[in-house]
Amino acid sequence: ILSLAPDANIYSAKVINNNGIGYYSDVLAGLNYCISNNVDVISFSIGGALSSGYCDNDLVASSTNSAVNQGIHVISAAGNDASFNSIRVPACASKVIRVASSSKQDAISSFSNIFLNDLLAPGQDITTLDLNGNNVTVSGTSYSVPFVSGGALLILENRTLLPNELTYLLRSTSEIINYNNINYNRLNL
């Protein structure tokens, strides 16, 4: 993100343990940490329960929507269940930017949840470094989210936008990918 948005400061709030398990209390504590540090963007590469629609009554989703109401841009991974009719918490919060995965060839990734999504971003066969500094190739909507978060930060370095205005800007400047006669918006910076 720093190379894309050089003026960004990154705050890290680890809310999931080394086994990929986290509790709502940890996620809420991380969310509150971000809010208290006046961040501009919260990047959620996590996924809780599956939802078949907006989940604003869920505690994490509700708190996430509250962050958006305070002007924080929240970007969340849709999940990796290959679902056309469900999405993971907190991406099911109605006010977040929901991100699904695309391939480098602009196809929707077969593993990606695409229900209610706002944007597609590359998340399939992404080359990165593991914790030991080794090159690895990974896939998932969690890898799509940083592309959108970095793009949001770059835009916010030059413009002041409310969260809904940023969502509109990202969607209206996107590339269109047609899949099963449905148009999806792929991030285009």
Side-chain angles (χ1 to χ4, degrees):
I1 291 176
L2 286 177
S3 62
L4 184 60
D7 292 335
N9 292 319
I10 296 180
Y11 292 82
S12 178
K14 184 176 166 119
V15 298
I16 305 294
N17 70 20
N18 293 342
N19 298 317
I21 297 171
Y23 299 97
Y24 269 34
S25 58
D26 297 326
V27 175
L28 293 171
L31 189 59
N32 288 331
Y33 171 80
C34 292
I35 293 168
S36 67
N37 279 287
N38 298 314
V39 302
D40 294 316
V41 174
I42 294 174
S43 183
F44 271 133
S45 286
I46 62 171
L50 276 171
S51 179
S52 60
Y54 293 118
C55 61
D56 294 339
N57 290 332
D58 176 274
L59 185 58
V60 169
S62 176
S63 295
T64 301
N65 280 337
S66 292
V68 174
N69 289 340
Q70 294 175 51
I72 298 172
H73 305 270
V74 179
I75 301 158
S76 188
N80 306 316
D81 307 287
S83 180
F84 292 90
N85 58 10
S86 60
I87 190 168
R88 293 273 173 188
V89 172
C92 54
S94 63
K95 296 184 179 188
V96 307
I97 297 176
R98 293 166 288 284
V99 182
S101 173
S102 64
S103 71
K104 295 173 186 173
Q105 294 77 31
D106 276 345
I108 293 175
S109 301
S110 62
F111 57 81
S112 184
N113 296 350
I114 57 173
F115 184 62
L116 298 176
N117 91 77
D118 290 301
L119 286 170
L120 298 167
Q124 184 175 332
D125 299 325
I126 303 298
T127 301
T128 188
L129 299 175
D130 67 13
L131 293 175
N132 298 316
N134 301 310
N135 283 333
V136 294
T137 301
V138 294
S139 296
T141 59
S142 289
Y143 301 100
S144 304
V145 168
F147 284 101
V148 178
S149 298
L153 286 166
L154 179 63
I155 291 167
L156 295 171
E157 284 182 1
N158 298 292
R159 297 178 70 176
T160 300
L161 296 169
L162 296 172
N164 64 328
E165 294 171 330
L166 178 63
T167 301
Y168 176 79
L169 177 65
L170 291 171
R171 287 179 55 97
S172 66
T173 59
S174 67
E175 294 293 323
I176 301 299
I177 296 175
N178 186 284
Y179 180 74
N180 288 341
N181 294 320
I182 299 173
N183 288 334
Y184 294 91
N185 301 82
R186 198 254 307 136
L187 178 69
N188 181 0
L189 294 176

